[in-house]
Amino acid sequence: MQRHFLLCVGLSLFCGAPAAAQHHAMQDTLTAERVVALARAVAPQVRLAESQVMEMRARLTGARALAPANPTLEGVATRDERFERRTQWELTVPVGLGPGRFARIGVARAELEREQRRLADARRGAVGAALAAFYRVLPAGRRVELSTERLALAADLRGTAAERHRAGDAPRLEVILAETEEVRAEGDLLAEGEALAREGLGRAAALGLASAESLHVRGDLADRSYLSRLLATGAA
């Protein structure tokens, strides 16, 4: 009984069984649509590509400026016929017009277009990786549910076998077999829980989220309608 209690507590902590965690999970539910939105917005490769686009935009703005150089002030000292000393000052303000300016603008615009294409590629790649992780988490979660049901059934059978043995209606071997099946069910449940944890870490890495962040995954493997629409429209 103590072993069953510790196992249930561990799984409840992992799956977010406490009421507060369940309330938080209801607010932070991951669906396929939200996975795509998060991947486009916060995936590490997307954020890096966005920073490159912002840098190229700043360079283009600088290239378009009319005065890329600082103004200069020059003075010339002279003497007239009466030996009076005079100084003539000349202020030069570069405007920046000409072939050089247009070349800088062209280069900056080409670099911006290149980074924008890389950003689009990064978003498509992030969406693909995040959806793949999402659809791996779904079956892993379902296997944990099935293993939990199997453990509960094995515990009931072990209890029934023990009662029948005490009543003299079953041999000790039946109790041993029931206990063995329960131990196997516990091992399978722990293994499936570990697999689910690994898939959850992969999902978090694909979305750029903290590994400890708990998000409840909701979806149906048989329903690929959203994925089909996404591929048909090329919105990824």
Side-chain angles (χ1 to χ4, degrees):
M1 292 300 293
Q2 183 180 8
R3 181 177 55 191
H4 296 163
F5 175 75
L6 293 176
L7 180 62
C8 292
V9 169
L11 288 174
S12 65
L13 290 175
F14 175 78
C15 299
Q22 287 289 348
H23 177 70
H24 182 72
M26 291 177 63
Q27 295 178 345
D28 295 323
T29 300
L30 275 184
T31 61
E33 291 86 348
R34 191 178 178 202
V35 164
V36 171
L38 286 174
R40 288 173 176 166
V42 300
Q45 61 268 39
V46 172
R47 299 177 67 179
L48 177 60
E50 287 178 343
S51 67
Q52 295 295 327
V53 169
M54 294 176 62
E55 181 181 351
M56 293 303 107
R57 285 176 178 167
R59 289 187 182 181
L60 179 58
T61 301
R64 286 174 174 171
L66 292 179
N70 294 325
T72 58
L73 180 65
E74 297 179 352
V76 180
T78 61
R79 292 180 181 271
D80 58 10
E81 296 177 353
R82 292 174 295 178
F83 301 99
E84 293 181 359
R85 186 172 181 176
R86 296 180 178 180
T87 303
Q88 295 179 350
W89 297 96
E90 180 180 354
L91 178 64
T92 303
V93 180
V95 177
L97 295 175
R101 176 175 180 269
F102 293 113
R104 289 192 299 271
I105 292 176
V107 171
R109 184 180 291 112
E111 290 177 343
L112 175 59
E113 293 175 353
R114 178 194 63 193
E115 296 303 328
Q116 287 175 336
R117 289 192 294 268
R118 289 181 177 177
L119 174 58
D121 293 339
R123 283 174 174 164
R124 283 191 290 268
V127 167
L131 281 177
F134 174 77
Y135 283 111
R136 286 195 299 267
V137 169
L138 285 179
R142 180 55 180 162
R143 288 193 296 269
V144 168
E145 293 176 359
L146 293 176
S147 297
T148 303
E149 295 175 359
R150 176 188 173 189
L151 176 59
L153 178 60
D156 291 341
L157 292 177
R158 188 259 311 157
T160 301
E163 291 179 359
R164 294 182 65 229
H165 176 67
R166 286 194 296 268
D169 295 335
R172 176 60 183 168
L173 178 60
E174 183 175 337
V175 178
I176 295 175
L177 292 176
E179 291 176 346
T180 302
E181 178 60 25
E182 185 179 13
V183 171
R184 289 176 179 175
E186 288 180 358
D188 290 343
L189 179 57
L190 291 176
E192 296 298 344
E194 292 176 0
L196 179 58
R198 288 194 300 268
E199 298 299 343
L201 291 176
R203 176 205 63 194
L207 293 176
L209 303 176
S211 60
E213 188 167 352
S214 178
L215 293 174
H216 177 64
V217 177
R218 179 171 58 85
D220 185 4
L221 279 173
D223 183 12
R224 300 298 180 94
S225 57
Y226 176 76
L227 183 60
S228 300
R229 293 195 306 270
L230 192 66
L231 296 175
T233 58

